[in-house]
Amino acid sequence: PLVWHKPVEAGKDYGNPVEIMAFVEFGYRQEDGLHSGPRLAWYAANGNPLGSIDLLDIRSLEKATPLHLQEFPYAIAGHSLILRLHNTADGLVLEAESSSQARRLIHGLRWVVARMAFNLIIGNRDITAELLELRGANEEVELLRAMNDVTNQLVEKSVFSTPQKMMKKYRQQS
């Protein structure tokens, strides 16, 4: 189990932390026919879905410092991690039961994302298929479509996030 911390909003009470279970879920074919990449999804203790993010939307994942947690007063810095997403300043703050569990979660998620991205880029069908739910009469054709869709998402997210990072670095130097 993890604890999901929501940021404090100006003029409101502190958001209550929520105990969750988090899972990496397979990518799947969406209603529009395109495939999504694998997702990090989190659920309440009763099984109700609370949220999810595409693993390719993760910009950074690191151990949270007290500076990161100023808007999260209940989070314990040594046990918490912050997950930042492309195209948003918001971060997702999760708290593990221990510092070592937080470290394992960070390394594990980084490993899954890196493995998926690397194998998409080199076109390794066997490894990529491990993270995608394939349905259809011809799994080989479905896998190729899924790899193409998810690779395009990877490229788009990489290309569109780079200019923002460069502008931010430029503003800091000015």
Side-chain angles (χ1 to χ4, degrees), residues 101-118:
Q101 184 186 26
R103 196 171 35 259
R104 284 194 312 269
L105 183 60
I106 290 167
H107 291 296
L109 279 173
R110 284 179 179 171
W111 184 83
V112 168
V113 172
R115 178 177 162 97
M116 181 184 62
F118 174 78

Side-chain angles (χ1 to χ4, degrees), residues 36-142:
S36 72
R39 306 183 70 71
L40 175 66
W42 54 100
Y43 296 83
N46 64 6
N48 287 337
L50 296 174
S52 70
I53 54 167
D54 189 319
L55 290 180
L56 296 177
D57 283 335
I58 297 174
R59 178 174 37 111
S60 68
L61 176 62
E62 59 191 319
K63 205 150 189 192
T65 66
L67 190 62
H68 292 129
L69 299 175
Q70 289 178 346
E71 296 177 27
F72 306 92
Y74 297 124
I76 300 171
H79 298 189
S80 298
L81 56 111
I82 187 161
L83 196 148
R84 298 214 184 267
L85 306 175
H86 288 289
N87 301 325
T88 180
D90 296 334
L92 179 68
V93 173
L94 300 175
E95 181 182 326
E97 292 177 345
S98 67
S99 179
S100 63
Q101 184 186 26
R103 196 171 35 259
R104 284 194 312 269
L105 183 60
I106 290 167
H107 291 296
L109 279 173
R110 284 179 179 171
W111 184 83
V112 168
V113 172
R115 178 177 162 97
M116 181 184 62
F118 174 78
N119 285 290
L120 279 169
I121 291 167
I122 66 168
N124 187 334
R125 295 178 186 166
D126 294 334
I127 301 300
T128 304
E130 292 177 358
L131 295 171
L132 300 172
E133 182 179 330
L134 302 173
R135 295 182 185 166
N138 188 341
E139 278 196 16
E140 186 65 25
V141 171
E142 186 75 9

